[in-house]
Amino acid sequence: MKAMLKSELAAAAGVSRDTLRRWLHSDADYLRSQGLNPKAKMLPPQVVRYLCEKYDIENT
C-alpha cells in the first residue's frame, strides 16, 4: 500500500471528494490516532489501507 492524495483515493473509490470527506469525518477518531491532520491532502499508507478495507476500495 502506498500513500495517496485524498483526490486519488476518491477517484479509486468512484466517489466525489465531498463524499470521501464525509467518510473521513466519520473516521475522525481513527485519523487522529494516526496523527493525521483533517486538512492533510496526503493520506499515509496505513490510513489508505484502513479506508480501502473499510469501504471495499480496490487500490490501484
Side-chain angles (χ1 to χ4, degrees):
M1 200 70 45
K2 65 177 184 152
M4 294 180 83
L5 292 170
K6 288 180 180 176
S7 59
E8 292 174 325
L9 187 58
V15 298
S16 70
R17 286 181 289 184
D18 287 337
T19 297
L20 181 67
R21 182 182 47 79
R22 284 190 290 275
W23 289 357
L24 294 176
H25 181 74
S26 71
D27 291 307
D29 291 336
Y30 171 75
L31 298 175
R32 277 191 293 275
S33 76
Q34 298 299 307
L36 190 65
N37 180 334
K39 303 240 182 220
K41 292 183 182 189
M42 183 67 72
L43 299 171
Q46 71 273 14
V47 172
V48 173
R49 181 179 303 110
Y50 170 81
L51 294 170
C52 286
E53 290 174 1
K54 181 173 181 179
Y55 295 105
D56 197 27
I57 302 168
E58 291 198 28
N59 190 4
T60 55

